[in-house]
Structure formats: C-alpha cells, structure tokens
Amino acid sequence: MSRKFLVALGSAALALSLAACSGEGAGSGGDTSGEQPSDLTIGVSMPTQTSERWIADGNSVKEKLEGKGYKVDLQYAGDDIPTQSQQIDQMITQGADVLVIAAIDGTALSGQLQAAADANIPVISYDRLIRESPNVDFYVSFDNYKVGVAQATALLVGLGLQNKDGSKGTATGPFNIELFAGSLDDNNAHFFFDGAMDTLKPFIDDKSLVVKSNQTAIEQVAILRWQQETAQRRMEDLLTSSYNDGTKVDGVLSPYDGLSRGIITALQNAGYGKGSAKMPVVTGQDAEIASVKLINDGVQSSTIFKDTRLLAEQAAIAAEAFLKETEPEANDTTTYENGVKVVPSYLLPVQTVYKEDIQSALVDSGYWTAAEVAAGQAQG
Ligand code: BGC
C-alpha cells in the first residue's frame, strides 16, 4: 500500500473535510491514478528569479510536466520566506495534486508540508532538501558533497597543487586562499562546504594552503541567501583586514557563480587582474552565462555544471510516479537525512568546467550557444 493511501486511511475525515473546503475533486487527496493528466495540477515553488539557474529550473520543470499533459502552477518567491509559505498554502487550497518545492529556508516549511500531508499531496523536495519534516516524500538533486569536492579540486588544479587526474601538481605553495560558503539555511551549502573542506584539509594541514584570515568555520564564511553583493562586501573586508600588508590572495573557494562575480568585482576593484597582479583562482557553480563568459575570458577559473534540464526531468518523472500511485525510483536511500527521516533521493552527477571544457560540456550539449558564451548573456 502506498504511503499516500495509508495517510488517506489515517486521516480520511480531515482529508474529506479539506476536499470539501477546497471544492476540488482532484488535488485534495485521494486516488489520482485514474484521472486524465489534464485534470491534475502540479504546484512548483521556486525560490527566486534573481539567479538564472532557478529561472531555467522553473521553465524546464513546467515544460517537462506540460509535455506529459499536466497542468502546472509555477511560482517564484523572491527569496522571501513568508511569500514562499503563502504561495504553497495557496497551491494546497487550490487543489494541487503534487508539490515540487525548492525551499528558500530548508526548515521553514513544516506547517505547509503538514497541510500537504493532511490533504494527501505528495511533496518532492527539489534540489534543496526540506528539513525537520516527516512529510517530504522524495528528493531530486545532484551529488552535493561531490560538488564541494569538485570545487576544492578545481581550486587545487588552478593553483597547480594537483593535476586534473588527481596526481600531485608541480606547485608547492604556500598559497593564500579564502573560503566562502552559501546560505546556512540551505542544506546544500553544508554539503558543498563539507566536500570542499575534506578535500582542502590535507593541504591546509601541510601548509601549502594558508587561509590568511583564519576564517575556516562555515558560520564565518557563509553568505546569507547566496547574495552577490554580500560576497563582494566580505571579499572587500577580507582584502582590507588580512591583505593590507602587501601579501596577495592566490585563490578563493566560491560555491556559486553569483558569489564568484561579487568576489571578482572586489578583487578587480583592488587591482587584481591588472598588469602583473594576477587574478586569483576563483571557483564557482551553476555555469551561469555571465560566469561562463568570465571563464572563457580567463577571469574566473572554473564552474560546476549541473544540468538543470536533467533535474527537471527527474522531478517530472517523480511527480508522475506519485500521480500514478506508485513510488518514484530512488538511486540513494542513505545520504539525505532531513532531521526526521532519510528521504529517498535521485541524485544526478556533476561536471567541472574549465575554459577548455566550455565547448564540449556547455555548447555541444545545447545548454548555451557559442554566441551566448561570447556575449555573456542568454539570448531568448
Ligand atoms: C543550489 C546551487 C545554487 C545555490 C544558490 C543551491 O541550493 O544547489 O546550485 O548555486 O543554491 O542559488
């Protein structure tokens, strides 16, 4: 018996009364397996439109689900937690049959998820794990720990401490580096940072890498809501506080292209990248077009490509499985403990992109065109 059905039995009275309130047949729980796709709606809640990747995610999920004949209610929350809660509340009352949610704050949606469970609406956590709730039915994401390993490896490769094949590089250091992490309320930020620090630790221990600011704890280096401006300000502060004695920063671990652009702006304003002052090795994530151009121009060192088209596809497959009253297929049932339970997951692989990989990874796959890479912006 599916979880959904068991919940239906357990809270039949509540589900019935909610169904009556919402005035909708489908979407208020119950068996959706016999319904036409066009009678079923998937609520898709995305965090923000300020980052290109979430716009691409939203569009791809919508496209894949509409391609299967379903209706889609796609909402963006402007990185505002109350807005996201309210949008999800509304999706529930309007009779969504499945919810796909990329949370702003992974712990802030327990109330909404309880309401969804009470109405027998399966919840798919999209890319970011929703924490502290038993009512997360499935998780689709990338291998987030490996993203961190890949970012740290790209930093080591850029500095010459390691070769791409994992062998020891010719450089010995010591190199001055600084570390950045994402938003503490995003579960992924912790996975990225853990993967990166596990990889960098031996080099910090043997002093070939020196974090000159001494800021190595995630709480010290995290950037709330992944804001570019906040990263720029922190980099400016680091330059004035830790590099005012003529020493130079050689590398920056950055977990997201938006942060990388803020960091690069701070570095450029301080004279890096001009004349003999080399631009430090700066990492990234998401293959955002403005950053792909910076990589192509030799300003940013690398990014991590996560093909959001494939993630959207997995979300659509999982949503359809729930609508057909079956369980989606997981490929990981151990890693993602959300504080209450281990959430069955489907994780996709990631790929490091240096300048020489732009063509094969991003252009040949149709993710960006050569013209977009040259222009540094999406073209329709
Ligand atoms: C995503 C990253 C993204 C970051 C900022 C994370 O949850 O996994 O791909 O760079 O959010 O939007």
Side-chain angles (χ1 to χ4, degrees):
M1 252 190 280
S2 72
R3 184 204 68 87
K4 205 174 154 189
F5 188 63
L6 288 172
V7 174
L9 286 176
S11 56
L14 186 56
L16 278 174
S17 68
L18 272 168
C21 290
S22 76
E24 297 261 350
S28 323
D31 189 346
T32 49
S33 58
E35 304 217 27
Q36 291 301 314
S38 57
D39 292 332
L40 299 168
T41 302
I42 294 99
V44 180
S45 170
M46 289 284 149
T48 176
Q49 278 172 305
T50 56
S51 156
E52 213 167 69
R53 85 146 277 196
W54 297 114
I55 300 174
D57 283 276
N59 290 341
S60 300
V61 175
K62 189 168 188 303
E63 196 182 292
K64 307 272 180 207
L65 287 167
E66 286 178 348
K68 290 175 183 289
Y70 300 110
K71 285 201 205 107
V72 175
D73 178 7
L74 169 64
Q75 304 282 340
Y76 286 91
D79 255 342
D80 182 54
I81 298 164
T83 303
Q84 184 162 46
S85 308
Q86 198 196 330
Q87 287 174 341
I88 296 170
D89 280 338
Q90 207 167 28
M91 288 173 185
I92 295 171
T93 52
Q94 286 177 353
D97 296 281
V98 173
L99 292 172
V100 175
I101 304 172
I104 298 164
D105 178 331
T107 58
L109 295 173
S110 298
Q112 281 65 38
L113 263 51
Q114 189 56 51
D118 292 344
N120 302 320
I121 303 170
V123 172
I124 299 167
S125 198
Y126 186 91
D127 195 52
R128 298 173 170 175
L129 185 65
I130 301 174
R131 295 189 50 82
E132 312 302 339
S133 166
N135 304 311
V136 188
D137 298 288
F138 201 69
Y139 180 42
V140 291
S141 189
F142 295 87
D143 189 328
N144 293 305
Y145 181 85
K146 275 206 192 130
V147 170
V149 172
Q151 287 168 335
T153 304
L155 180 61
L156 295 172
V157 169
L159 290 169
L161 286 168
Q162 207 173 76
N163 299 316
K164 280 190 190 173
D165 64 6
S167 60
K168 199 169 166 2
T170 49
T172 50
F175 294 111
N176 292 323
I177 62 162
E178 293 300 335
L179 311 169
F180 282 72
S183 199
L184 288 176
D185 52 11
D186 179 346
N187 196 53
N188 287 351
H190 300 266
F191 274 78
F192 302 152
F193 196 68
D194 287 350
M197 289 310 275
D198 288 350
T199 309
L200 296 179
K201 189 165 185 303
F203 297 86
I204 295 174
D205 288 349
D206 75 10
K207 305 210 166 31
S208 45
L209 292 179
V210 177
V211 183
K212 193 134 187 294
S213 68
N214 264 322
Q215 298 183 12
T216 55
I218 190 167
E219 294 76 15
Q220 295 174 298
V221 307
I223 301 295
L224 182 67
R225 297 284 117 73
W226 303 88
Q227 290 286 315
Q228 175 168 340
E229 302 71 29
T230 314
Q232 179 177 337
R233 236 175 298 123
R234 175 160 183 265
M235 191 69 233
E236 287 163 358
D237 291 347
L238 287 170
L239 290 172
T240 25
S241 58
S242 302
Y243 296 88
N244 57 1
D245 57 359
T247 51
K248 295 281 177 216
V249 57
D250 301 303
V252 183
L253 174 82
S254 167
Y256 156 54
D257 285 343
L259 302 190
S260 314
R261 293 196 294 276
I263 292 163
I264 286 169
T265 303
L267 289 165
Q268 287 173 330
N269 289 345
Y272 285 89
K274 288 189 200 117
S276 61
K278 263 178 57 185
M279 179 54 81
V281 175
V282 181
T283 64
Q285 172 170 210
D286 290 341
E288 293 203 331
I289 193 60
S291 296
V292 175
K293 177 172 167 43
L294 290 175
I295 295 170
N296 205 32
D297 293 347
V299 179
Q300 185 172 320
S301 172
S302 62
T303 189
I304 307 299
F305 174 42
K306 307 197 302 191
D307 195 333
T308 50
R309 297 167 301 189
L310 301 181
L311 186 62
E313 174 99 62
Q314 283 308 320
I317 290 171
E320 183 159 58
F322 282 124
L323 292 170
K324 293 192 167 156
E325 302 284 319
T326 59
E327 293 294 323
E329 188 194 322
N331 65 3
D332 184 301
T333 51
T334 54
T335 309
Y336 286 96
E337 211 277 330
N338 81 342
V340 178
K341 69 178 205 183
V342 177
V343 183
S345 311
Y346 195 96
L347 305 180
L348 290 158
V350 301
Q351 185 181 356
T352 307
V353 174
Y354 301 96
K355 179 175 175 154
E356 57 273 25
D357 308 305
I358 292 176
Q359 179 70 36
S360 60
L362 303 176
V363 179
D364 294 349
S365 72
Y367 200 74
W368 298 119
T369 65
E372 288 172 321
V373 174
Q377 62 184 50
Q379 295 170 345

